[in-house]
Amino acid sequence: MYTKEAEINLARLGKSLLAGTSPQSPAEAADALRQVIRYSDWRYYIQDDPVLSDQEYDQLFSALKKLEAAHIELVTPDSPTQRVAQGLTKLFPTVQHLVPMLSLENSYDADDLIDWDRKAREQTGLTDIEYCIEPKFDGASISLIYENDLLSRGATRGDGVQGDEITVNIRQIRSIPLSANFSSFGIQQIELRGEVLINKKTFKKLNDQRATENLPPLANPRNAASGSLRIVDPNEVAKRGLEAFLYNMSYHTMQDDKAEPAAIQTHSNTLDMLWNLGFRSPAKEMKVVKGIQAVIDYCLQFEAKRDDLPYEIDGMVIKVNDYALQDKMGMTTHHPRWAIAYKFKARQATSKLRNVEFQVGRTGSITPVAKIDPVPIGGVVVGSISLFNEDVIREKDLRIGDTVLVERAGDVIPYIVKSMPDLRDGKEKDIVFPTVCPVCHDPLFKPEGESVWRCVNINCEAQVVERMIHFVSKDAMDIRSLGESNVRKFYTLGLLKDVPGIYTLDFNAIGQLEGFGPKSVTNLQSAIEASRGQLLHRLIFGLGIRYVGETTAKTLANAVDHLLDLAQFSEEQLLALEDIGPKVAGSVKQFFSNADNLHMLERLEALGLNLRSNRGGLSAEGTLSGQTFLFTGTLNKLKRSDAEAMVEQHGGKLLSGVSSKLNYLVVGEDAGSKLEKAKKINTIRILTEDEFINMVS
Ligand code: IVH
């Protein structure tokens, strides 16, 4: 995409624009700003290796906006400012694809692939076929049209013949260029196919946020991506952090006088061409091989690292590489004969829904939990599945006794995809939602416009216990040896009444209990002891303030020197913090206006808990700025998530894989292939955990 020289020049240009020594005329300045912003987008969204800080980027972006506002004639359709949309999309009109978007034939094992290869060889008369193998992205399929180098239309797959026109939303996806130099290949019009994804990290963030709002989680990244493409407010779409891989050229026309260049005579060359034009194509993930055995090997190799990828894939796609051969093989009405999907092991299973239990959460929310006949899915036995709220039960028309389809994708919690009404025998029973709290028996309430029933008795035993369970949980104070069952046990025995009580536990009494030998008491004692020094954001998250998830907890921790400073924050000050809206601000304000809560925090501090923020911390923010990190193996002293948070806090960036863009690989115990790979790249520095700790402190 960019030569070394071009990159150096753009970096220089960026510096001079930031310093205000910009080119002479407004037209030159606008052009320079656009070039630098595009280059920065490419480094950030495609290369995963930013060149500008957020602040620098914002400075250039607003300079361009200002300039274009003052000189409207300078606005170009592919200016980065033109991604921003105004108003809501009223309608996504139906449009016809230039070429029908066919599906793929599926294969599930080596034998299926061997069979398919045999047919392909028979058809082509070749003894060995060249294949291109690439990941099968598990997202929402899209089609893009570029005409005279400009993105002119984006559409969903729809029924394959017609889809919804979603161009405004597609323009929000920053890894999709608004213009690309197809004319340098003689291409006049081109239709591309690809997949829109939400990566696993972003997906988790979205769901954490939804959890704090008592919304049912988005089922999986695929549904989240396809739902996001149809959001009517493009600014909301922009916030979803969508990414796109472009993996197929389905149609193109050449400029009158141009012959097809070599770059578009094979599929792998097309992927390279797209990569070089600034698209995210699977050019780095693809492999071109001869013969089916090499295909099988690569598929198995990729399947083994499926969980390490930052996004979900559900298989591999094998394509005949040569376009002339593809044409010869043709297609059925359903799929091309020149391609096949190799599907990874299913993460779905069917089971019987035996019962629904109703659990009371720490905020009083009543959650129905399905009890199913335990089934193994993707290596884990699933027996309990949250159904979130009454609406989910009604929408999925679930009944006790139903056969249900259960999915557990990657890191995603298991969920019921659907019931199977065809398999009913008439003995199924309706699920009856309780009207009183199953624990304290107070009547339940459902606030207007919400779908969650609540027990509003804050002294309800279930809520008190759940608040403590949340406080000690892994992402909060992480007091593992206390855990859910011990919290329940100690509460029932009267040894533990509330959160501060964790720090005044009577270990002599615990030592008398069955199952608590001296070793487990010492372990418990030291885990509780260690938690006093947890980072402030963990404590804030552990308090279980409504709508405050892990991300908001970090924002709040970074906004103060001491937790009790938050008691002085006005709602306006809270609203000024990143990603804090009125609902969150109101809830935080309410928590810190409550005398009982403040008293509890004072008690916690008196008990030796850390209420100070480490924002000015051990080393100044930004000391790792511009540096990239990756962790591998098991760390002994730090938790992986804390170590990663430290990198980000100090301005560093995390990468998901080993590449020449990586500066530091931090190696814990039992490090595997990442370490081997890093050793081969001599610009990567390999650090032990201690060396990393020294570096940040
Ligand atoms: S090629 C005409 N390549 O999988 C061939 N499809 O289950 C078009 N998909 O509808 C498809 N990753 O939405 C192709 N690397 C990839 C893909 C891919 C994901 C999707 C695509 C297709 C579906 C079939």
Side-chain angles (χ1 to χ4, degrees):
M1 171 73 180
Y2 293 98
T3 60
K4 267 267 145 309
E5 200 189 343
E7 292 208 40
I8 293 167
N9 286 337
L10 282 162
R12 260 191 218 135
L13 187 56
K15 280 218 176 80
S16 76
L17 287 166
L18 284 166
T21 49
S22 53
Q24 306 280 300
S25 72
E28 279 170 338
D31 186 53
L33 284 163
R34 281 198 280 263
Q35 280 188 46
V36 172
I37 292 170
R38 263 188 217 123
Y39 170 60
S40 162
D41 278 344
W42 179 75
R43 286 285 298 250
Y44 188 98
Y45 294 101
I46 312 265
Q47 297 284 333
D48 203 10
D49 183 17
V51 281
L52 296 179
S53 70
D54 291 355
Q55 202 191 353
E56 288 169 333
Y57 184 92
D58 291 346
Q59 188 187 328
L60 296 184
F61 200 90
S62 60
L64 179 60
K65 259 198 336 210
K66 248 196 211 149
L67 199 58
E68 287 181 347
H71 303 271
I72 261 173
E73 72 286 357
L74 294 181
V75 181
T76 61
D78 62 339
S79 171
T81 58
Q82 299 307 296
R83 288 191 193 271
V84 185
Q86 251 139 45
L88 303 183
T89 315
K90 289 199 188 60
L91 196 76
F92 297 119
T94 305
V95 288
Q96 184 103 7
H97 300 302
L98 299 185
V99 169
M101 291 174 76
L102 297 184
S103 194
L104 287 170
E105 187 183 354
N106 286 330
S107 69
Y108 299 93
D109 54 27
D111 287 346
D112 290 349
L113 286 175
I114 290 168
D115 246 20
W116 176 73
D117 169 64
R118 184 181 40 76
K119 278 188 255 161
R121 283 185 290 114
E122 277 167 14
Q123 249 193 308
T124 55
L126 294 173
T127 47
D128 244 350
I129 297 181
E130 186 174 87
Y131 294 116
C132 180
I133 317 149
E134 65 203 43
K136 183 170 185 306
F137 303 101
D138 196 8
S141 173
I142 51 159
S143 117
L144 303 180
I145 298 179
Y146 285 79
E147 279 167 306
N148 301 319
D149 292 347
L150 286 180
L151 171 67
S152 61
R153 192 185 88 179
T156 62
R157 177 174 186 275
D159 64 5
V161 177
Q162 295 182 324
D164 293 343
E165 198 251 80
I166 49 159
T167 317
V168 263
N169 287 351
I170 289 289
R171 292 173 78 92
Q172 309 308 316
I173 304 174
R174 303 282 282 274
S175 56
I176 296 182
L178 297 180
S179 62
N181 198 359
F182 285 110
S183 46
S184 62
F185 291 89
I187 295 172
Q188 199 245 329
Q189 186 194 36
I190 186 165
E191 186 176 48
L192 301 172
R193 262 186 88 165
E195 207 82 356
V196 169
L197 308 167
I198 289 193
N199 78 32
K200 294 177 189 169
K201 244 190 191 160
T202 313
F203 179 72
K204 183 172 182 305
K205 257 194 197 168
L206 274 178
N207 268 349
D208 286 350
Q209 191 50 42
R210 289 176 72 88
T212 65
E213 294 175 28
N214 265 316
L215 293 168
L218 302 165
N220 52 41
R222 175 190 353 118
N223 289 13
S226 81
S228 301
L229 286 178
R230 281 191 190 70
I231 297 178
V232 290
D233 180 355
N235 296 311
E236 274 307 308
V237 180
K239 286 190 199 152
R240 287 285 176 107
L242 298 172
E243 302 178 13
F245 272 98
L246 278 304
Y247 49 66
N248 229 56
M249 172 176 72
S250 46
Y251 174 85
H252 68 284
T253 58
M254 301 298 291
Q255 289 159 348
D256 287 346
D257 52 340
K258 294 279 166 50
E260 301 238 336
I264 43 178
Q265 280 165 14
T266 64
H267 174 69
S268 56
N269 283 348
T270 300
L271 295 186
D272 280 332
M273 169 184 81
L274 291 176
W275 179 267
N276 290 329
L277 287 174
F279 288 86
R280 195 159 175 216
S281 76
K284 304 292 166 210
E285 291 80 5
M286 74 174 178
K287 186 164 176 135
V288 177
V289 300
K290 268 210 162 183
I292 203 67
Q293 192 51 49
V295 168
I296 295 166
D297 291 347
Y298 193 60
C299 288
L300 295 177
Q301 209 180 314
F302 226 92
E303 184 164 10
K305 60 179 185 188
R306 169 186 196 183
D307 288 334
D308 297 337
L309 296 175
Y311 44 80
E312 287 285 345
I313 64 173
D314 60 341
M316 303 298 285
V317 183
I318 300 106
K319 297 171 183 169
V320 169
N321 201 26
D322 184 347
Y323 284 143
L325 267 192
Q326 286 190 4
D327 288 345
K328 191 165 171 189
M329 294 175 76
M331 52 196 70
T332 71
T333 50
H334 173 264
H335 60 259
R337 290 196 191 87
W338 44 261
I340 192 162
Y342 167 80
K343 300 274 277 190
F344 292 159
K345 307 245 159 356
R347 281 164 161 175
Q348 285 191 340
T350 55
S351 181
K352 279 260 180 203
L353 174 56
R354 295 295 179 194
N355 190 18
V356 173
E357 291 178 359
F358 294 90
Q359 290 180 354
V360 188
R362 65 192 150 84
T363 58
S365 55
I366 307 293
T367 305
V369 178
K371 297 288 168 180
I372 59 164
D373 286 344
V375 273
I377 313 177
V380 173
V381 176
V382 179
S384 282
I385 304 173
S386 172
L387 297 172
F388 303 106
N389 61 44
E390 196 180 8
D391 294 352
V392 172
I393 297 178
R394 306 285 162 247
E395 276 158 24
K396 295 196 171 157
D397 183 23
L398 299 178
R399 300 186 200 167
I400 310 277
D402 266 350
T403 302
V404 287
L405 179 66
V406 181
E407 180 168 315
R408 192 192 140 263
D411 317 335
V412 179
I413 47 172
Y415 72 102
I416 292 186
V417 181
K418 58 175 185 177
S419 65
M420 297 178 163
D422 294 352
L423 300 179
R424 285 181 183 152
D425 62 6
K427 294 197 194 115
E428 294 73 20
K429 291 201 197 82
D430 280 346
I431 298 165
V432 183
F433 221 86
T435 51
V436 296
C437 171
V439 176
C440 73
H441 308 294
D442 270 17
L444 298 180
F445 291 94
K446 186 155 81 162
E448 184 86 20
E450 289 193 17
S451 31
V452 176
W453 286 95
R454 274 178 198 287
C455 164
V456 291
N457 168 17
I458 59 158
N459 295 317
C460 167
E461 268 188 24
Q463 290 187 44
V464 174
V465 172
E466 291 300 329
R467 282 199 289 267
M468 290 192 281
I469 292 172
H470 175 71
F471 186 84
V472 302
S473 65
K474 183 168 151 282
D475 294 329
M477 298 299 271
D478 194 27
I479 313 178
R480 284 183 207 191
S481 36
L482 193 46
E484 175 169 350
S485 65
N486 283 338
V487 168
R488 288 191 195 284
K489 187 180 287 169
F490 298 164
Y491 182 83
T492 315
L493 294 171
L495 290 167
L496 183 58
K497 280 208 297 284
D498 56 12
V499 164
I502 293 170
Y503 296 93
T504 55
L505 271 175
D506 180 349
F507 293 106
N508 285 329
I510 292 172
Q512 310 297 313
L513 301 175
E514 210 186 307
F516 283 88
K519 191 152 180 240
S520 51
V521 174
T522 317
N523 281 347
L524 180 61
Q525 213 166 353
S526 51
I528 292 174
E529 194 53 43
S531 76
R532 290 182 213 256
Q534 281 288 22
L535 296 175
L536 182 60
H537 69 84
R538 284 177 164 272
L539 172 62
I540 298 178
F541 178 59
L543 295 174
I545 306 168
R546 221 173 147 194
Y547 305 128
V548 176
E550 279 181 81
T551 313
T552 310
K554 283 182 188 158
T555 308
L556 293 173
N558 276 329
V560 291
D561 290 321
H562 188 281
L563 179 56
L564 288 172
D565 295 352
L566 279 176
Q568 314 304 326
F569 269 53
S570 64
E571 269 192 64
E572 288 67 37
Q573 281 172 298
L574 289 167
L575 282 168
L577 301 175
E578 198 181 332
D579 284 336
I580 292 197
K583 224 163 47 176
V584 184
S587 169
V588 172
K589 186 77 201 143
Q590 195 183 4
F591 183 92
F592 284 94
S593 309
N594 178 315
D596 288 344
N597 290 337
L598 296 181
H599 179 60
M600 176 188 65
L601 294 177
E602 282 158 8
R603 266 178 78 200
L604 288 176
E605 187 162 42
L607 288 164
L609 268 79
N610 167 46
L611 268 61
R612 296 210 158 267
S613 171
N614 67 331
R615 61 174 175 164
L618 296 170
S619 69
E621 212 172 302
T623 40
L624 304 183
S625 165
Q627 306 294 323
T628 56
F629 285 79
L630 176 67
F631 293 86
T632 186
T634 315
L635 303 183
N636 282 323
K637 298 191 175 150
L638 297 170
K639 242 161 277 109
R640 173 81 69 104
S641 56
D642 284 346
E644 291 180 346
M646 284 161 102
V647 168
E648 284 176 338
Q649 254 164 19
H650 293 117
K653 193 172 182 298
L654 296 161
L655 296 189
S656 48
V658 175
S659 72
S660 58
K661 285 171 243 151
L662 184 65
N663 300 121
Y664 295 98
L665 181 74
V666 184
V667 179
E669 260 170 41
D670 297 327
S673 61
K674 287 193 177 124
L675 175 58
E676 291 315 308
K677 195 167 167 196
K679 280 183 182 162
K680 294 190 190 123
I681 305 176
N682 54 19
T683 51
I684 299 179
R685 268 198 60 193
I686 294 169
L687 299 179
T688 62
E689 186 178 359
D690 283 335
E691 284 170 332
F692 169 73
I693 293 171
N694 278 339
M695 186 172 186
V696 288
S697 55

